[in-house]
Amino acid sequence: MSDHAPATSDAAEERRLDEARRTLAALQAQADAVRAELARLRRDLTQAQEEFSEMRGVQLLEANEQLLLAALQADAVARTAVGNLDELTRSAQRDALTDTPNRISMGERLDSAIAMARRHEKHVGVLFVDLDGFKEINDTLGHAAGDEVLRAASRRLASAVRESDTVSRHGGDEFVVLLPDVAKASDVAPIAEKMLHALAAPAHVGDQELPLSASIGVAVYPEDGEDAQTLVSRADAAMYRAKRQGGHAYAFHADSVVGELEPAAARPAPEAASARDRSAWPAQRHLDLREANEQLVIAAMTAQELEHQVEEMHARQIKFLAMVAHELRNPLAPIRTAAELLKRARTDEALVAKVQGVIERQIGHMTRLVEDLLDGARVSTGKFRLETEQVNMADTLWTAADACRAAMDTKQQQLTVALPEGPLRVRGDPVRLAQVFGNLLENASKYTPEDGHIALSAAVEGGSIVVTVSDDGMGITREALGHVFDLFVQGTRAMTAQNRGLGIGLAVVRELVEAHGGTVEARSAGKDLGSAFIVTLPADGDAVTPPGATTTSG
């Protein structure tokens, strides 16, 4: 028994070793399989990453190209718009026939010349030119020939004056010439003589040779007047004196009787008329002529006033168009720069995101300008659409305040809101009412300096809800106070503020408030003394909670 025991033990040990070897070989085979699978997975992952990166690069490149195309297209559209507006502004300031400045443009130049002369104690000459016998040219040769004569006259007048002077067609066959820098009044006479000499050469119209002459009236600042309208009117009166002398002459207003188109000596005294002359005018005919004259004077005065109003509105529109062109031009530079950066950005995601933000902000600004223009058009045509419902004004005012708070926080302005407890109900369009008070709060923030104060309050007065937006900012001058709600008007307050916009927000405010049956009023003690805008809206029946004021500040 003892001889076989070690052999048995060795055999068992050998079997265990063989089993261990087989197990280890199996584990090694499994490990090799796992390693092979891991290697395959790594290869697949690397390939997937390469494919993904390539696809992402292609997608990013395509996105960049699309963004670049959009930026270039926006730039082209904006360029076209600015070009059209520049051309429209230019054409609105020129006379279509003679290509000289029109009456409105001449008025602006004359105002500037007077202001400059006042500062430097100099003189300004205004010459009113009327072509002699022009009606006969029109009647015999037609309007085409008359137009050619007017063009020739404008060129000759321009050749007779300095480059700093201005020749303007005043209307019909009349011209106004501005001499902005005159040392003394007598210096105007040689220029008037030179103009008459230039006009005296015959004008060739087709096969016709037409002699030209003119009558010129002269008025000089400050002797004959201190404003443009007075100077032109008195130069016109002096021109009639020159024409009565036979034409082809000039006359100074200073040599005439102010206010009279005809010297008193030229009129017969009443007692000089004979009895037969007096009997030739029956009483009834005299009364009829007197009444007709009165009506003619009234009609002329009315027409003159209407013409003045139209010219004033036209001048506002021209300035407004020039401002629109300027505002639309502003976003072009950053959009153009962004477009150039996109060409180099390609796969630079951070730069692409930055450039995209620039383009989006500028396009947003241009969109706002277009929206302002549309609102301005609606003000002019009265085409605001209102979708009315019962509105809680407290909610509307809080919405407007929250929308403007970020801009106020940027300038560290303090906004105080004081509203009665409970709802303030009106009948109206909630979107348009929010626009009203958003415009007023935005306006207050624009014209209030940093660390300034703005207040929004509401109160119930009788059957109305009164909302006040006030500030301690730039204020409004007495002259501008009556025009702050007019369309196409921007006063000094708007021009000096470093804010973009077209200045039509207050016109929109008035239109919308009146569309809701309310009123809006502007108040200010003057420049740098703050301002307040008070909106009064009819309450919706009895649905107004009595005031119990709550105040919050931010």
Side-chain angles (χ1 to χ4, degrees), residues 298-309:
I298 293 173
M301 293 177 62
T302 303
Q304 186 176 13
E305 179 64 24
L306 289 175
E307 181 182 16
H308 177 71
Q309 293 176 2

Side-chain angles (χ1 to χ4, degrees), residues 88 219 438 444:
L88 179 59

